Amino acid sequence: MARKTKAQAQETKSLLIEAAIDCFASRGVSATSLSEIAEHAGMTRGAIYWHFKNKTELFKEIWVSSDQEIDRQHLEFASLYPNDPLGQLKHFLISFLQSLVVDERRRKIMEIIYHKCEFVGEMQSMNQLDQKIILEDYPKIAENLSLCIDAQQLPSTLDTQRSAVVCRAYITGIIENWLFSPGSFDMQALAPTLVQTMIDLLQYSPSLRRTAYSEPADKCS
């Protein structure tokens, strides 16, 4: 019985999360109340408070879970291309960009994070989470680029810290612009070219070489 109750509680929590994603994507985070989420899920407001202290905690659950899912997807591509770190990076990014077109749930979550959430009022604490994720991303990207250098797939003089900043800005810029206006370009068709453009930048841009500037390499961690 206890096992069944635990399973039922998890199902309720999952339904509330999916209802919150729908409501946040439709109305925005600040304009959505917990009562509206509960109503959309066909539950009472008390059901939300059983699992989440407030809207901020519910939003954090969605964001962190999404970030963890992206990490798992990256690991999947690492297993598909075990001796090809640049191939891992390339195919992961192409797949992720294209998933925004075909995966409605992922697209909604990205829309919420990029365009439907204001980090003010009760959501102000989420600004710290955003900063934490960004700061953690830079070393991860730099490490992946270092593996590509070790595999002789990128120049040995590539400044991995500076390149990590450029790569993150490039990909998040593509995502943000497409989410704002999906009709502005065909993400599904252009994803391979857009990712290859970033790789070309890493391979050929002199401004991303350690010898391009006299100052020490940038610090991103």
Side-chain angles (χ1 to χ4, degrees):
M1 180 64 70
R3 189 175 300 174
K4 181 178 180 181
T5 301
K6 183 177 181 180
Q8 289 175 332
Q10 184 59 47
E11 182 181 1
T12 298
K13 183 178 181 181
S14 297
L15 288 173
L16 288 169
I17 288 174
E18 295 309 309
I21 292 172
D22 287 343
C23 292
F24 290 158
S26 176
R27 305 183 184 98
V29 177
S30 61
T32 298
S33 68
L34 290 178
S35 296
E36 289 170 329
I37 294 172
E39 182 180 357
H40 188 72
M43 301 179 191
T44 65
R45 185 179 172 119
I48 293 182
Y49 286 121
W50 180 263
H51 295 281
F52 305 101
K53 293 179 181 179
N54 48 45
K55 185 167 63 175
T56 301
E57 188 176 279
L58 176 53
F59 177 75
K60 182 179 179 180
E61 174 89 11
I62 294 171
W63 193 344
V64 171
S65 295
S66 174
D67 200 53
Q68 291 173 343
E69 183 182 342
I70 292 171
D71 285 341
R72 286 194 295 270
Q73 186 179 3
H74 190 272
L75 289 175
E76 290 176 7
F77 278 92
S79 64
L80 288 173
Y81 302 90
N83 301 312
D84 182 8
L86 190 60
Q88 295 173 22
L89 179 64
K90 177 179 179 179
H91 292 290
F92 163 72
L93 289 175
I94 292 173
S95 176
F96 182 80
L97 292 178
Q98 290 179 333
S99 74
L100 298 176
V101 181
V102 299
D103 187 336
E104 183 179 8
R105 185 179 188 275
R106 173 167 285 177
R107 181 171 67 253
K108 285 181 179 179
I109 293 174
M110 292 298 106
E111 285 176 351
I112 294 166
I113 293 173
Y114 279 90
H115 295 299
K116 301 291 181 68
C117 180
E118 296 178 338
F119 297 118
V120 295
E122 63 179 317
M123 299 302 297
Q124 192 168 8
S125 62
M126 290 297 95
N127 194 31
Q128 296 177 347
L129 175 62
D130 189 20
Q131 293 175 357
K132 179 176 181 292
I133 290 175
I134 291 174
L135 290 175
E136 289 176 350
D137 274 353
Y138 289 140
K140 290 179 184 177
I141 298 171
E143 181 180 358
N144 287 331
L145 296 179
S146 293
L147 292 175
C148 295
I149 292 172
D150 292 342
Q152 299 183 338
Q153 295 175 313
L154 288 176
S156 60
T157 56
L158 184 72
D159 187 311
T160 55
Q161 281 77 30
R162 189 182 302 139
S163 297
V165 175
V166 171
C167 287
R168 193 182 193 284
Y170 180 82
I171 295 298
T172 56
I174 290 172
I175 294 171
E176 182 175 8
N177 281 281
W178 183 82
L179 290 172
F180 186 74
S181 181
S184 59
F185 62 93
D186 187 341
M187 178 74 89
Q188 184 79 13
L190 280 180
T193 300
L194 293 172
V195 172
Q196 185 59 51
T197 300
M198 186 195 78
I199 292 174
D200 290 346
L201 185 65
L202 295 171
Q203 289 178 326
Y204 303 115
S205 174
S207 62
L208 293 181
R209 302 293 178 269
R210 289 196 305 272
T211 55
Y213 299 101
S214 57
E215 72 265 20
D218 304 325
K219 298 295 183 182
C220 301
S221 57

